[in-house]
């Protein structure tokens, strides 16, 4: 069975462990219903309805961060579909703000060469993604922060894009976030924000506008910490889908809970984490309906 790297994903810059050096590894159980997900249990579909059956897998968890002077390298904030690396530099007190410039490289992700083939085993290819971004934190000494990122996507052997020009999948995404931090007390923090993404692909039926709401509640004490993260988004695509004859509109949300216990076995550098999450995607085109659930645990070392 194909195994996907599942990187712990955060929708906002880290509050609890900002500037911490650590490495964490673990394992997770992932269940999903998704016609676009690539797996040996999902090679053949019989119709364009919502997913016939779900499938599950056991997959590793990897998360890390290393900071030196004003530079850092860490696992990038990504979804359960893959993992990658983010590296950057932070310049403090620039125009009364902290400016971070970063680059992102995503590990190649498996996608179907033609997701719409029926009653036959679909074959897979890879999508390469990489990008650049910038983040302003505590703008002009306020509690507001802003991030912009441009990500390039390149699908190798894009068979469906060869068959239908409007379904070509090469292009780029411009994403933006504006969020505000609230200190509820010395241990409890809340981040609330809005997002806007513009997908500009060679295929007009894959290009889109997406708006979203995000939030994170963080609790942090010496021995324990926890985070509850939520995201909700709505996407409207640019042109009619050539196979389904309709313009795609998606709504979806996800929620993640993580709990971390520090000072394992009396060692202040060792920690253990538990993760659980779920998400759902609804669409006016049944083929794009999806959902996922996962639960995992990891052990890490901070230094």
């Amino acid at each position: 069975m194909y195994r996907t790297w599942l990187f712990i994903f955060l929708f906002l810059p880290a509050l609890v462990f900002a500037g911490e050096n650590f490495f964490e590894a673990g394992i997770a159980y992932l269940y999903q219903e998704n016609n676009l997900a690539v797996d040996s249990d999902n090679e053949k579909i019989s119709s364009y309805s919502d997913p016939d059956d779900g499938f599950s897998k056991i997959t590793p968890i990897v998360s890390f961060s290393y900071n030196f002077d004003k530079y850092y390298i860490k696992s990038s904030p990504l979804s359960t579909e893959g993992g990658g690396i983010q590296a950057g530099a932070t310049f403090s007190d620039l125009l009364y703000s902290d400016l971070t410039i970063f680059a992102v490289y995503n590990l190649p992700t498996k996608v179907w060469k033609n997701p719409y083939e029926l009653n036959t085993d679909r074959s897979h290819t890879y999508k390469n993604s990489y990008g650049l971004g910038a983040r302003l934190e505590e703008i002009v000494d306020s509690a507001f922060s802003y991030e912009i990122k441009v990500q390039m996507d390149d699908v190798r052997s894009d068979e469906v894009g060869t068959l239908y020009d409007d379904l070509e999948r090469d292009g780029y995404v411009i994403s933006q976030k504006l969020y505000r931090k609230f200190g509820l007390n010395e241990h409890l923090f809340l981040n609330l924000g809005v997002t806007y993404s513009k997908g500009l692909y060679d295929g007009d039926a894959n290009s889109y506008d997406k708006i979203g709401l995000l939030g994170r509640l963080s609790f942090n004490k010496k021995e324990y910490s926890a985070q509850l993260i939520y995201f909700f988004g709505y996407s409207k695509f640019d042109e009619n889908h050539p196979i389904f004859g309709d313009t795609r509109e998606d709504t979806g949300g996800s929620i993640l809970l993580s709990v971390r216990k520090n000072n394992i076995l009396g060692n202040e550098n060792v920690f253990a984490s538990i993760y659980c999450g779920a998400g759902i995607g609804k669409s006016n085109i049944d083929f794009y309906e999806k959902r996922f659930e996962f639960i995992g645990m990891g052990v890490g070392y901070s230094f």
Side-chain angles (χ1 to χ4, degrees):
M1 178 181 293
Y2 171 62
R3 299 170 72 91
T4 301
W5 289 98
L6 175 61
F7 279 71
I8 301 307
F9 61 94
L10 302 179
F11 294 108
L12 300 174
L15 282 173
V16 178
F17 311 120
E20 180 190 41
N21 298 325
F22 71 91
F23 178 84
E24 181 179 11
I27 196 167
Y29 170 83
L30 172 65
Y31 172 84
Q32 57 183 325
E33 299 173 7
N34 185 348
N35 283 323
L36 298 180
V38 176
D39 190 274
S40 58
D41 291 333
N42 200 37
E43 287 180 332
K44 184 183 293 187
I45 56 174
S46 58
S47 72
Y48 290 139
S49 64
D50 51 0
D52 293 333
D53 298 299
F55 60 93
S56 60
K57 64 175 70 177
I58 302 296
T59 184
I61 294 173
V62 176
S63 184
F64 67 89
S65 177
Y66 182 69
N67 302 266
F68 47 101
D69 195 17
K70 63 183 178 182
Y71 304 100
Y72 72 88
I73 183 170
K74 66 178 183 178
S75 51
S76 58
L78 295 170
S79 72
T80 57
E81 295 177 352
I85 296 172
Q86 182 181 125
T90 299
F91 304 91
S92 300
D93 300 323
L94 183 65
L95 299 175
Y96 304 101
S97 309
D98 289 341
L99 171 65
T100 299
I101 305 294
F102 60 89
V104 177
Y105 171 74
N106 298 336
L107 300 178
T109 303
K110 281 188 175 181
V111 297
W112 299 117
K113 289 183 177 180
N114 182 353
Y116 310 105
E117 290 183 304
L118 297 178
N119 301 312
T120 186
D121 287 344
R122 297 178 290 178
S123 56
H124 71 266
T125 184
Y126 289 90
K127 180 177 74 173
N128 299 317
S129 299
Y130 48 90
L132 295 172
R135 182 168 55 249
L136 279 173
E137 298 183 69
E138 299 183 353
I139 301 171
V140 195
D141 292 330
S142 73
F144 286 92
S145 298
Y146 169 78
E147 178 178 307
I148 183 169
K149 182 177 70 173
V150 179
Q151 177 174 301
M152 306 295 295
D153 291 336
D154 175 38
V155 176
R156 313 176 201 169
S157 303
D158 187 13
E159 288 184 359
V160 70
T162 301
L163 294 172
Y164 303 94
D165 290 344
D166 282 344
L167 294 181
E168 290 187 48
R169 291 176 284 179
D170 292 345
Y172 60 96
V173 179
I174 303 172
S175 57
Q176 301 177 75
K177 301 176 186 177
L178 178 66
Y179 49 94
R180 189 185 191 281
K181 179 175 67 176
F182 300 87
L184 304 181
N185 58 46
E186 62 177 323
H187 301 297
L188 195 62
F189 300 90
L190 176 66
N191 268 23
L192 295 175
V194 294
T195 69
Y196 171 72
S197 299
K198 178 68 176 179
L200 296 165
Y201 290 95
D202 294 343
D204 290 338
N206 284 327
S207 299
Y208 61 86
D209 293 274
K210 181 176 183 178
I211 57 174
L213 300 174
L214 48 82
R216 182 172 69 178
L217 185 65
S218 301
F219 174 78
N220 185 26
K221 295 190 76 172
K222 184 176 181 180
E223 292 291 327
Y224 294 94
S225 59
Q227 299 182 78
L228 181 66
I229 303 168
Y230 175 76
F231 176 79
F232 176 81
Y234 166 78
S235 303
K236 176 69 179 291
F237 289 74
D238 289 357
E239 298 290 343
N240 276 3
H241 197 290
I243 294 176
F244 302 112
D246 200 357
T247 301
R248 181 179 167 189
E249 295 183 53
D250 294 347
T251 58
S254 59
I255 189 167
L256 166 70
L257 173 66
S258 66
V259 179
R260 170 169 158 171
K261 170 68 171 67
N262 300 312
N263 195 21
I264 300 297
L265 299 177
N267 190 323
E268 63 181 9
N269 299 106
V270 179
F271 63 88
S273 305
I274 297 176
Y275 304 93
C276 60
I280 189 169
K282 306 297 289 184
S283 177
N284 63 323
I285 299 175
D286 290 344
F287 179 83
Y288 294 107
E289 301 271 316
K290 60 184 179 180
R291 62 182 283 242
F292 76 87
E293 295 138 19
F294 76 88
I295 185 168
M297 61 185 302
V299 177
Y301 185 86
S302 62
F303 53 97

